Amino acid sequence: MNILIIGSGAREHAIAKALHRSPQAPKIFCCGTSKNPGIKPLTENYWVGDIGRIDEVRTKAKEWNINIAIIGPEAPLEKGLADVLWQNSIPTIGPKQKLAQLESSKSFTRDLLTKYKINASPLYGVFDDLLLAKRFITDLGENNYVIKADGLMSGKGVKVAGDHLHSFEEAFQFCSEILAHQSKIVIEEKLIGQEFSLLCFCDGNSLIPMPLVQDHKRAFVNDEGPNTGGMGSYSDRDHSLPFLTEKDLHEATRINEAVLDALTFEFREPYIGILYGSFIATKNGVRLIEYNARFGDPEALNVLSILESDFLAICEAMVMGRLSRNLVSFENFATVCKYAVPNGYPDHPEKNFEIDISAVHNKNNLYFGAVDERNGKLYATGSRTIAVVGIADTIMDAEQIAETEIQRIKGQLFHRKDIGTNELIKKRIQHMQDLRACNV
Ligand code: AMP
Ligand code: GLY
């Protein structure tokens, strides 16, 4: 069986490792934007190029007689890579272009929820007129709005009042910038609570959930600083999260199911791939922040590290429409993932400096991101560099493992020491308790 992975970050490294563990011993191929030193040794063949050029990726997939392709990042999904691969008889994990609008257009998703009466959105409006946008922001009130570019902006298209925008003037300026990028503006009421990710495998009919994960978007300890791709994440032994109730979990599951039904009805096409709901638990219940049409990075590192069953069998079942619960099991372990990123990340990262991982004890728990290998040495290229996953019976123990190992990586790097610590988890639990208490 020949499997193609499209993408070359830490998420794709986790995908490659999970495939490599399969007892079916598939041959792994990769089309990536760089030669990931973790993925490379696991592959039969590796092409480096622009994975947004879907004709070139298709040519490689045909040349390598690929049986199943897995698309890692969102950009090729938006460009219709899944459509092209299916047209060439290559079953693909990752939804077709129309379905991928769930991630590529924030207004599409909010309007889909409205049309199908799925009660999970905050108050929102979609604008291409600055005056109307200004009025909506003013009506929501100071510190009560979030402004988003409608399309994909590599994680830079969202600004939250109070965190990134400190006056109506700044908010209006951001709206003008979005319009100048030829994008519509989505404005939402600001939700207060704790965020979590619920990723599901999907074969077009059934959704099979993965363990819940909490990511940390902010660059610095205590959730301060600019938004990033994600500085680290954790999952718990019971596959839920310590600040969530059973009811929260049911609500998030219900929203994912209703959205899958709505999408299928809207386009009469099966959604095959990963459905990743990014939710927030609030005092009024669970609300949707956004959808992604792919594995999360770093979430994939948490969940795939403890996937017990054969990932290749799950992929086969997804593309054949035969997914079932008995094909998917995860070990009952907690995981903590921490990313080491270049000094200055995300706004002005150092680039092209050497990193040294020789002191790391368990290299099996390392995932390479923006790293190049040249003459046997590793160089950080500017984005999130390398992730470490700790796995243990408790979040606390998993955190210790991840923290100890990440400190053994040498280079001009920093990481968030607080992710997965008892102190931060307690804060999360307390925050939800306080919010819920206000509601009674
Ligand atoms: P997104 O790119 O939509 O995931 O947004 C990035 C981050 O902005 C999210 O992880 C949230 O922290 C924050 N955010 C987005 N929408 C909202 C909202 N309506 N209320 C509060 N925070 C939000
Ligand atoms: N963990 C955030 C993302 O993958 O978009």
Side-chain angles (χ1 to χ4, degrees):
M1 177 83 74
N2 292 350
I3 310 292
L4 173 62
I5 300 171
I6 294 122
S8 50
R11 165 183 48 210
E12 289 76 25
H13 189 186
I15 292 171
K17 275 192 185 182
L19 286 171
H20 190 67
R21 292 200 303 267
S22 166
Q24 302 182 59
K27 290 189 174 146
I28 302 171
F29 297 77
C30 181
C31 287
T33 47
S34 63
K35 200 160 265 182
N36 182 308
I39 301 176
K40 178 71 184 53
L42 307 178
T43 56
E44 295 292 311
N45 216 325
Y46 198 125
W47 174 81
V48 178
D50 179 357
I51 57 172
R53 296 167 82 125
I54 56 182
D55 286 345
E56 293 189 26
V57 176
R58 179 204 45 202
T59 303
K60 280 289 148 194
K62 292 193 70 127
E63 183 190 313
W64 291 334
N65 292 316
I66 293 301
N67 302 105
I68 298 180
I70 306 175
I71 303 175
E74 58 275 25
L77 291 170
E78 189 195 22
K79 292 214 159 108
L81 180 56
D83 307 60
V84 168
L85 292 175
W86 278 104
Q87 277 156 20
N88 284 268
S89 308
I90 299 170
T92 300
I93 313 277
K96 292 184 182 169
Q97 190 173 32
K98 276 188 193 158
L99 297 155
Q101 286 180 87
L102 196 62
E103 170 161 6
S104 61
S105 168
K106 293 182 192 295
S107 66
F108 166 82
T109 299
R110 288 292 180 214
D111 291 345
L112 186 83
L113 265 68
T114 305
K115 180 171 172 187
Y116 289 88
K117 301 188 168 46
I118 303 167
N119 177 20
S121 289
L123 204 60
Y124 79 99
V126 182
F127 303 92
D128 52 17
D129 178 289
L130 189 59
L131 278 179
L132 294 178
K134 284 181 175 179
R135 188 177 305 158
F136 194 73
I137 291 170
T138 317
D139 287 349
L140 283 174
E142 229 165 299
N143 281 344
N144 191 33
Y145 54 86
V146 178
I147 302 177
K148 305 181 174 187
D150 189 25
L152 295 178
M153 295 252 300
S154 325
K156 297 204 162 58
V158 178
K159 291 198 178 179
V160 180
D163 294 344
H164 313 105
L165 299 167
H166 301 99
S167 65
F168 284 138
E169 285 67 39
E170 282 182 24
F172 301 161
Q173 174 60 33
F174 185 50
C175 288
S176 305
E177 283 167 29
I178 293 174
L179 290 177
H181 273 89
Q182 315 294 327
S183 169
K184 283 188 278 187
I185 312 166
V186 180
I187 299 169
E188 299 178 359
E189 181 189 5
K190 180 173 160 181
L191 298 162
I192 310 287
Q194 284 296 321
E195 291 178 46
F196 61 97
S197 307
L198 173 55
L199 285 73
C200 299
F201 296 112
C202 187
D203 68 353
N205 291 305
S206 316
L207 279 175
I208 310 289
M210 302 180 217
L212 292 168
V213 183
Q214 187 174 47
D215 185 15
H216 297 69
K217 287 257 165 74
R218 299 300 206 88
F220 309 134
V221 289
N222 289 325
D223 295 322
E224 284 174 7
N227 268 334
T228 70
M231 293 295 290
S233 45
Y234 64 89
S235 68
D236 205 354
R237 186 192 160 91
D238 63 359
H239 301 162
S240 184
L241 289 164
F243 54 83
L244 289 180
T245 63
E246 277 284 307
K247 188 163 168 275
D248 294 328
L249 187 48
H250 282 132
E251 278 185 43
T253 306
R254 177 192 60 78
I255 298 166
N256 274 354
E257 284 167 358
V259 165
L260 177 65
D261 287 348
L263 266 183
T264 313
F265 190 82
E266 189 73 14
F267 295 119
R268 312 267 166 200
E269 277 266 11
Y271 183 104
I272 294 171
I274 309 302
L275 186 83
Y276 159 4
S278 175
F279 296 103
I280 182 164
T282 73
K283 64 177 184 176
N284 299 316
V286 170
R287 292 285 174 274
L288 177 75
I289 294 279
E290 64 161 1
Y291 269 105
N292 294 315
R294 51 167 174 86
F295 274 111
D297 185 351
E299 289 92 333
L301 283 54
N302 298 86
V303 297
L304 292 177
S305 297
I306 54 165
L307 179 65
E308 207 167 24
S309 34
D310 178 1
F311 183 48
L312 180 54
I314 297 173
C315 293
E316 290 177 292
M318 272 194 277
V319 294
M320 289 193 294
R322 288 198 203 141
L323 199 56
S324 67
R325 260 178 202 272
N326 59 13
L327 279 176
V328 184
S329 65
F330 291 89
E331 293 171 301
N332 285 101
F333 284 122
T335 65
V336 171
C337 171
K338 298 196 187 208
Y339 252 114
V341 302
N343 289 340
Y345 174 83
D347 295 332
H348 306 287
E350 300 281 341
K351 287 181 184 161
N352 296 317
F353 56 88
E354 199 181 328
I355 59 164
D356 177 4
I357 58 164
S358 57
V360 171
H361 286 189
N362 185 356
K363 298 200 177 52
N364 202 31
N365 289 341
L366 292 183
Y367 295 85
F368 293 98
V371 177
D372 250 0
E373 191 170 10
R374 294 196 292 270
N375 306 323
K377 290 184 173 170
L378 298 176
Y379 295 87
T381 55
S383 198
R384 288 177 294 172
T385 311
I386 191 163
V388 184
V389 177
I391 304 170
D393 282 331
T394 63
I395 298 174
M396 211 167 55
D397 290 346
E399 191 276 333
Q400 289 283 300
I401 295 169
E403 183 59 34
T404 312
E405 287 283 55
I406 205 165
Q407 289 194 11
R408 295 185 173 126
I409 302 173
K410 302 286 178 282
Q412 298 164 57
L413 300 162
F414 78 96
H415 68 278
R416 271 186 63 167
K417 289 199 168 63
D418 59 342
I419 293 172
T421 56
N422 226 4
E423 201 188 338
L424 195 63
I425 306 274
K426 271 194 197 149
K427 261 197 216 166
R428 307 277 194 237
I429 297 171
Q430 190 62 50
H431 183 210
M432 281 319 300
Q433 279 173 356
D434 292 348
L435 285 176
R436 289 183 170 121
C438 287
N439 202 32
V440 287

